[in-house]
Amino acid sequence: MTLVFLPGLTADHRLFEKQTEYFENKQNVFVWDAPSHALSRPFTNNYSLSDMAEWLYEILAKEEIYNPIIIGQSMGGYLAQMYMELYPDKIKGFISIDSAPLQKSYMTAMEIWLLERAEPLYKIYPWKALLRAGSRGGAETDYGQNLMRKMMMSYNPDHKEYARLVADREKAKDILKRVNYYRFTGYALQFRQEPSGSDYIEKAEVYYRTQIVYGFSIAKCIEAPHD
């Protein structure tokens, strides 16, 4: 049996270096760099979640990895679930790390508005400041922050590539069509200098999520049949 680790957006195989060290000589382990990430670059951004799942299947088949347990972090969790949808008999188990289930399709005007403005924000943000903010906002420990900085440095010196990857509108729309919760405030969390300080981002997120749930509930209530 093989453990397949799938890192999240902008992260790469190094995210799971401690896990690969732990399982050395104990378990077969496979970790990939998703398209447009780290060693899987350069790569065009015109692909969907299902494209990535198909490519992952082809790679695993070539490596003779059958019925793996897939561990997906954030975006990697979405990919793992898409893999299960396409190849339900080709996976033994799935472990989600900070990801959301692929369920009801919905997308709001606010979500589109946020997507359209994410990339320009990242493009104009000074790269050194973004490195500092991204590493602090993406991890709590010194080890995690240093690791996040290393992974972000893969996109140095042209951080516009990083901005395009983080704020890929079409890919995000593809995910929004499938997931029942997408944390848009994740785009802003890394800009907080003190994670334990102001909670305005969390308050905005709670409000935003409440509106989504309310709208979704109303939509379901007007659907037939009624009990």
Side-chain angles (χ1 to χ4, degrees), residues 103-135:
Q103 293 180 355
K104 179 71 177 179
S105 299
Y106 63 84
M107 184 162 47
T108 67
M110 176 59 72
E111 289 169 334
I112 295 297
W113 187 88
L114 288 168
L115 281 170
E116 290 174 340
R117 285 152 182 80
E119 183 176 348
L121 172 63
Y122 275 81
K123 280 185 175 180
I124 64 174
Y125 207 82
W127 180 234
K128 289 184 178 179
L130 186 59
L131 280 172
R132 183 170 59 253
S135 59

Side-chain angles (χ1 to χ4, degrees), residues 69-212:
I69 292 178
I70 300 182
I71 301 95
Q73 184 265 334
S74 191
M75 176 74 75
Y78 302 146
L79 173 56
Q81 292 174 79
M82 178 55 65
Y83 184 95
M84 287 191 291
E85 281 191 15
L86 298 179
Y87 311 103
D89 59 340
K90 302 295 183 181
I91 182 172
K92 188 171 184 179
F94 165 54
I95 299 174
S96 174
I97 304 174
D98 194 25
S99 193
L102 299 182
Q103 293 180 355
K104 179 71 177 179
S105 299
Y106 63 84
M107 184 162 47
T108 67
M110 176 59 72
E111 289 169 334
I112 295 297
W113 187 88
L114 288 168
L115 281 170
E116 290 174 340
R117 285 152 182 80
E119 183 176 348
L121 172 63
Y122 275 81
K123 280 185 175 180
I124 64 174
Y125 207 82
W127 180 234
K128 289 184 178 179
L130 186 59
L131 280 172
R132 183 170 59 253
S135 59
R136 290 178 180 177
E140 291 288 338
T141 65
D142 290 340
Y143 163 77
Q145 291 178 7
N146 290 333
L147 180 60
M148 190 66 220
R149 182 181 179 86
K150 288 180 181 178
M151 291 189 290
M152 291 178 68
M153 284 295 291
S154 298
Y155 306 94
N156 188 57
D158 181 15
H159 78 280
K160 291 181 180 179
E161 181 183 8
Y162 180 84
R164 288 192 297 269
L165 181 61
V166 170
D168 186 333
R169 185 174 186 267
E170 293 306 315
K171 195 173 287 77
K173 284 176 64 178
D174 181 47
I175 294 171
L176 282 167
K177 293 176 182 177
R178 306 174 185 278
V179 301
N180 71 336
Y181 162 46
Y182 190 93
R183 184 170 184 161
F184 267 103
T185 49
Y187 283 113
L189 282 175
Q190 63 178 304
F191 295 109
R192 290 194 308 171
Q193 297 301 310
E194 297 295 335
S196 60
S198 174
D199 61 351
Y200 70 92
I201 291 180
E202 286 82 356
K203 289 179 179 178
E205 181 178 359
V206 169
Y207 174 80
Y208 179 59
R209 290 173 63 184
T210 301
Q211 298 307 308
I212 289 178

Side-chain angles (χ1 to χ4, degrees), residues 55-66:
W55 295 333
L56 177 62
Y57 173 77
E58 292 172 1
I59 292 171
L60 295 181
K62 184 176 181 180
E63 296 296 325
E64 299 184 345
I65 297 175
Y66 306 108

